[in-house]
Amino acid sequence: MPMEIGVFIPIGNNGWLISENAPQYKPSFEMNKQIVQKAESYGFDFALSMIKLRGFGGKTEFWDHNLESFTLMAGLAAVTSKIKLFASTAILTLPPAIVARMATTIDSIAPGRFGINIVTGWQMAEYEQMSMWPGNSYFGYRYEYATEYVKVMKDLWRDGVCNLDGKHFQMKDCKMSPVPSNEIQIVAACQSAKGMEFAAEFANFNFVMGTGKNTPSEFGGGQKLLEAAEKTGRDVGAYVLFMVIAEDTNEAAEAKWQHYRDGADVGALAWMANQGGKDKNADETSTVTTINLPEGAVNMNIGLLCGDYVRIASMLDEVAEQPGTKGIMLVFDDWLAGLDKFGQKVQPLMKSRDHIIPGTNSVASGVKRQRLD
C-alpha cells in the first residue's frame, strides 16, 4: 500500500537532538529551503514546520533560536511546486480569523498544497513570557478552546463569514474574502485521549510519536485514534514520527547514536522535564509525559530507527503496514546528508514507496535491485 512520507523541518536550532555531540546549527530560510527542495526532489509528500517560542537552554541553547512557521512556509511555498506544506499555529498567540486569512494567502501561493497544524501548547514559559498564558487551568480546557478556534477558521473558509458565539470566541459578522480556492487541511499532534477526540472530529491527520529504538510497530496513539475516528465516522489517519539514523552498516549507525547519547545536554533536558511537569492533568500518553521518558530523551523520545539501509527500509515498511497509518514523518540527525541517504539508498528498497520512481541515480538503481523481498 502506498505510504506518504514527510519531513519535519528544522525550524529550531539543532533539530531534534539535545546533544553537544550532534551537529550544531542555527535555523535559516536557506537551510530549510535546501531541505524541502531536496525532499521534493525525492518525492516526499509533505513538509511540516513547528512553532516554538522559547527553547530549553543548556550548553547547546536547544531551541533557543527559532524561525516563525507561517512566514517560513509562505517563503517555501514560492520555491516549491509539488510538496504539501503545513505551518503550525500556537493557538494562544494568533486569533483564528487572522490565521484563516494567512492560510488563504499561502493557498494562493501554493494552490492545494497548504495546511495548518493546531498547537494547543504545553510549555508554559513560551506564553508566560508574553503575558499570554491564561493560567494552568488551561491544561484542562485547551481542546475546548481549540475546537472553537478551528470552527471559526472553517466557517470563514467555507462561507467567508463567521458568527460563532462561543465561550472563548465571540465573532460578530466576521468577514473574510477571498475564501481559499482549495481545502485547507487540518493536522494535529494529539497524544492524550481528549486530544484524540479533537483530532478525530476536526483533523485530516494526526501525528503520533514512534516509541523506543527499532520498534517500528510500536507507536503511541494509533489504535486510540482509530477508535476515536470510528465514533465520529471520519477518515482520520495517523502520521507517525520517527528519527532515522541510516549508515552503511548497523554498527556504524549504532555508534553514531551512542555518540549523541554520550553528549546529552543535561541542562536542556532538565528544563524540558521541569516544563513538562507543569501539567498536572497529563496522562501517561500525553506529549509532555512521553518526551520526558529517560531512555532516548536526547532525541525528544520520538521513535528511533537506527541501522543500515536495508534495515531502515524494512522497518519503515513495517510502520506502513500498521492499521490506520497513512504517513510517516521523518527527522534526521544530519539533515541534507540524511535526506540523500534516504532518497538514494533507503526509499528505493521500500515496498510502500514503489510508486516513487528513483530517477536516474545510479546508486538508487543499484540498491533497488538488492532489495530483500
Side-chain angles (χ1 to χ4, degrees):
M1 177 179 177
M3 177 60 48
E4 287 197 358
I5 293 288
V7 59
F8 198 176
I9 63 177
I11 191 171
N13 63 303
N14 300 353
W16 275 261
L17 282 168
I18 312 176
S19 170
E20 297 177 55
N21 292 343
Q24 305 289 302
Y25 53 84
K26 299 290 194 298
S28 68
F29 173 73
E30 181 60 31
M31 178 184 185
N32 281 279
K33 181 182 77 170
Q34 290 181 33
I35 289 169
V36 173
Q37 288 180 333
K38 188 178 286 287
E40 185 174 63
S41 75
Y42 286 127
F44 275 53
D45 299 284
F46 66 92
L48 181 141
S49 65
M50 67 176 184
I51 183 67
K52 187 57 60 177
L53 305 168
R54 189 184 182 102
F56 302 163
K59 291 183 179 180
T60 62
E61 301 178 346
F62 186 75
W63 282 357
D64 286 352
H65 312 276
N66 275 274
L67 304 180
E68 192 282 320
S69 186
F70 274 80
T71 47
L72 173 63
M73 301 317 267
L76 293 174
V79 296
T80 54
S81 60
K82 296 179 180 178
I83 195 167
K84 290 188 294 185
L85 303 168
F86 292 97
S88 296
T89 176
I91 62 176
L92 286 175
T93 66
L94 292 170
I98 298 298
V99 173
R101 196 176 294 266
M102 291 159 63
T104 301
T105 303
I106 299 178
D107 177 66
S108 73
I109 302 170
R113 294 195 290 122
F114 185 68
I116 295 177
N117 176 37
I118 302 298
V119 178
T120 58
W122 63 268
Q123 188 186 182
M124 180 178 71
E126 292 187 74
Y127 308 98
E128 196 172 44
Q129 66 181 353
M130 300 182 289
S131 298
M132 289 183 168
W133 184 246
N136 286 3
S137 60
Y138 172 70
F139 289 124
Y141 66 80
R142 58 181 174 165
Y143 287 112
E144 296 174 11
Y145 187 94
T147 292
E148 292 187 13
Y149 194 100
V150 172
K151 284 181 176 179
V152 170
M153 294 194 298
K154 285 182 175 287
D155 282 354
L156 292 171
W157 291 331
R158 184 186 61 247
D159 305 323
V161 63
C162 179
N163 282 292
L164 178 73
D165 185 16
K167 180 178 179 180
H168 306 287
F169 295 98
Q170 296 82 43
M171 313 305 289
K172 300 177 181 179
D173 193 30
C174 179
K175 297 290 185 68
M176 186 190 78
S177 183
V179 297
S181 57
N182 303 275
E183 178 191 9
I184 306 295
Q185 291 192 327
I186 296 291
V187 298
C190 307
Q191 310 301 316
S192 66
K194 283 186 178 180
M196 291 293 178
E197 292 174 4
F198 167 79
E201 186 171 356
F202 294 104
N204 297 89
F205 306 98
N206 188 64
F207 293 103
V208 297
M209 296 172 68
T211 57
K213 185 179 79 171
N214 292 348
T215 53
S217 62
E218 298 178 15
F219 47 86
Q223 185 58 41
K224 286 194 301 182
L225 180 62
L226 282 174
E227 294 170 358
E230 201 171 295
K231 294 178 181 177
T232 62
R234 297 182 67 248
D235 182 15
V236 183
Y239 278 170
V240 191
L241 175 60
F242 281 99
M243 173 174 282
V244 166
I245 298 178
E247 295 293 335
D248 291 334
T249 66
N250 291 327
E251 292 76 17
E254 292 284 355
K256 203 173 189 183
W257 170 237
Q258 187 58 51
H259 180 61
Y260 295 147
R261 293 187 68 192
D262 291 342
D265 185 341
V266 294
L269 289 170
W271 171 272
M272 181 172 70
N274 175 267
Q275 287 296 305
K278 304 290 186 184
D279 183 359
K280 303 305 181 184
N281 297 315
D283 62 26
E284 70 278 3
T285 63
S286 67
T287 299
V288 297
T289 301
T290 54
I291 65 173
N292 284 299
L293 295 173
E295 184 177 357
V298 73
N299 76 324
M300 307 285 292
N301 267 300
I302 60 177
L304 173 69
L305 304 180
C306 180
D308 66 22
Y309 310 122
V310 173
R311 174 189 277 185
I312 297 294
S314 175
M315 289 190 291
L316 288 170
D317 278 337
E318 187 176 337
V319 177
E321 293 170 357
Q322 304 309 306
T325 303
K326 292 194 175 180
I328 304 170
M329 185 165 65
L330 302 178
V331 299
F332 299 95
D333 58 324
D334 191 347
W335 286 89
L336 294 172
L339 276 165
D340 280 334
K341 289 172 184 175
F342 178 85
Q344 296 174 16
K345 299 182 179 182
V346 174
Q347 183 168 251
L349 303 177
M350 295 173 61
K351 296 178 182 178
S352 59
R353 296 291 284 174
D354 267 348
H355 60 292
I356 300 297
I357 301 174
T360 59
N361 187 288
S362 59
V363 175
S365 300
V367 173
K368 192 171 182 68
R369 288 193 294 272
Q370 300 171 25
R371 185 172 70 193
L372 301 178
D373 291 325

